[in-house]
Amino acid sequence: MARRIDVTGADGVRLAAWEFGDPPKTDPAKTGPQSIIPAQFSGARAEHPQVGHPAIERAPGVLLLHGLMGRASHWASTARWLSERHRAVALDQRGHGQSDKPPQASFTREAYVEDAEAALEQLGLAPTVLIGHAMGALTAWQLAAKRPDLVRGVVICDMRASALGAASQREWADWFKAWPVPFATLADVRKWFGEDDPWVERPNPARGEFYAEVMHECADGWRPVFDPDQMLKSRETWVYDAHWEELAQVRCPALVVRGLDGELGRAEAQEMVRVLPRGEYAEVADAGHLVHYDQPEAWRAAIEPFLDAVMV
């Protein structure tokens, strides 16, 4: 089960957080409205219904942060096994999933970090472990550097600390233009992103499923739930800069995880571990950039020992 809780991010942007697992029973008269909903994430909402509940506060918190174009539901498999022992919450970040996408909203690094900070405080999750994929991993380590009091550990999944540069940003802009939207069916989405996309070196059904998850049905077919221009704005706030200095400021334990065929190379990953004051390293075979989607069981095996150690 996944329960939606609305939180307020930077500049008043409404964010949808999703708590997994069956929460303790509470008195609605004391806690306010709440909704327990299936994991396909409907639009039902709850306004901080259980912050302060003693059973909730005893469970160690985990906040899951998706990458660019992702959404909280991409963490469903991970969050379900986490919820057996922890309070697992996945956040739809601004411009993504069911969170607000205001046309004039800020998509700076500071805004993303402040959103995650606000979510931790409003949900009563701290001190928490942050698990981030790609852009979400950058948000995780920047927040850990900024607010060490809120974070007890960080899992960094397939995110580079080095600058990617202007050519990378141009490639992404051209890639968005190449999408054959609208897609007639979800099967067409799966096929294009899993097989036909020029960026796909070999058929990857998991990649097709990943992108099918971020499409919604419109009058003329299936389109992304996000605005590609907002995604490019988000990306341009970090793609030109290196992030080693912030990495060195992360004082809590940190695990760097890479897929062997992902975007983060082994040499850079190991340098990130060296720069981190308390860094550790793990890699997942037969996985690309979408490590937790490509190999969910191997992903769990890679991060669970780290979580067990930092959650004591």
Side-chain angles (χ1 to χ4, degrees):
M1 303 293 286
R3 180 173 60 99
R4 172 173 171 166
I5 307 172
D6 282 354
V7 299
T8 303
D11 304 321
V13 173
R14 181 192 55 79
L15 306 171
W18 303 89
E19 182 168 358
F20 286 75
D22 294 328
K25 295 184 183 301
T26 59
D27 181 351
K30 296 180 180 178
T31 61
Q34 60 179 305
S35 176
I36 307 300
I37 58 179
Q40 61 264 33
F41 298 3
S42 76
R45 302 176 183 177
E47 299 287 350
H48 319 311
Q50 294 187 316
V51 173
H53 190 286
I56 286 290
E57 291 189 343
R58 283 195 299 271
V62 180
L63 183 66
L64 299 126
L65 299 170
H66 60 73
L68 190 71
M69 301 181 294
R71 64 187 306 173
S73 57
H74 283 141
W75 290 115
S77 174
T78 298
R80 288 191 186 105
W81 63 259
L82 281 171
S83 67
E84 296 170 5
R85 298 170 57 189
H86 312 296
R87 186 180 175 209
V89 178
L91 183 67
D92 275 338
Q93 296 172 79
R94 60 176 52 214
H96 296 75
Q98 292 191 25
S99 288
D100 281 351
K101 307 168 181 66
Q104 303 305 318
S106 172
F107 290 94
T108 63
R109 283 283 79 223
E110 292 77 13
Y112 278 102
V113 171
E114 288 173 13
D115 285 348
E117 182 180 0
L120 289 181
E121 293 178 330
Q122 292 170 38
L123 294 169
L125 278 176
T128 192
V129 170
L130 298 173
I131 300 179
H133 173 246
M135 182 189 73
L138 176 58
T139 299
W141 88 60
Q142 289 180 327
L143 177 55
K146 176 187 177 184
R147 291 291 307 274
D149 56 309
L150 297 180
V151 185
R152 68 169 79 192
V154 178
V155 176
I156 298 167
C157 180
D158 216 65
M159 179 61 189
R160 300 180 62 182
S162 58
L164 302 182
S168 173
Q169 188 71 353
R170 288 194 297 270
E171 288 172 1
W172 272 69
D174 291 342
W175 179 56
F176 276 130
K177 293 175 184 177
W179 291 16
V181 292
F183 294 92
T185 68
L186 275 180
D188 292 327
V189 173
R190 295 185 182 97
K191 185 175 186 301
W192 196 82
F193 287 101
E195 300 178 24
D196 300 338
D197 182 349
W199 284 14
V200 175
E201 295 181 357
R202 58 181 181 273
N204 186 342
R207 188 174 187 270
E209 292 294 339
F210 183 94
Y211 283 97
E213 188 74 13
V214 295
M215 297 289 163
H216 64 152
E217 191 170 16
C218 302
D220 59 351
W222 292 83
R223 294 179 177 272
V225 299
F226 51 79
D227 179 346
D229 287 339
Q230 290 184 345
M231 298 300 98
L232 288 172
K233 287 179 182 178
S234 297
R235 194 172 187 272
E236 72 182 6
T237 65
W238 52 263
V239 72
Y240 302 118
D241 302 314
H243 305 281
W244 296 99
E245 183 176 349
E246 296 141 307
L247 204 66
Q249 295 169 4
V250 176
R251 298 298 170 183
C252 63
L255 177 67
V256 177
V257 185
R258 62 178 291 268
L260 288 187
D261 298 318
E263 296 179 9
L264 175 61
R266 180 179 283 121
E268 183 171 352
Q270 292 177 343
E271 179 63 12
M272 290 170 65
V273 172
R274 189 192 68 79
V275 169
L276 285 159
R278 302 173 66 184
E280 301 178 33
Y281 175 75
E283 59 185 29
V284 178
D286 299 319
H289 179 58
L290 307 176
V291 181
H292 56 301
Y293 234 69
D294 288 345
Q295 298 292 339
E297 292 304 318
W299 157 252
R300 176 174 181 173
I303 71 170
E304 198 164 26
F306 174 82
L307 296 176
D308 289 344
V310 300
M311 289 293 199
V312 295

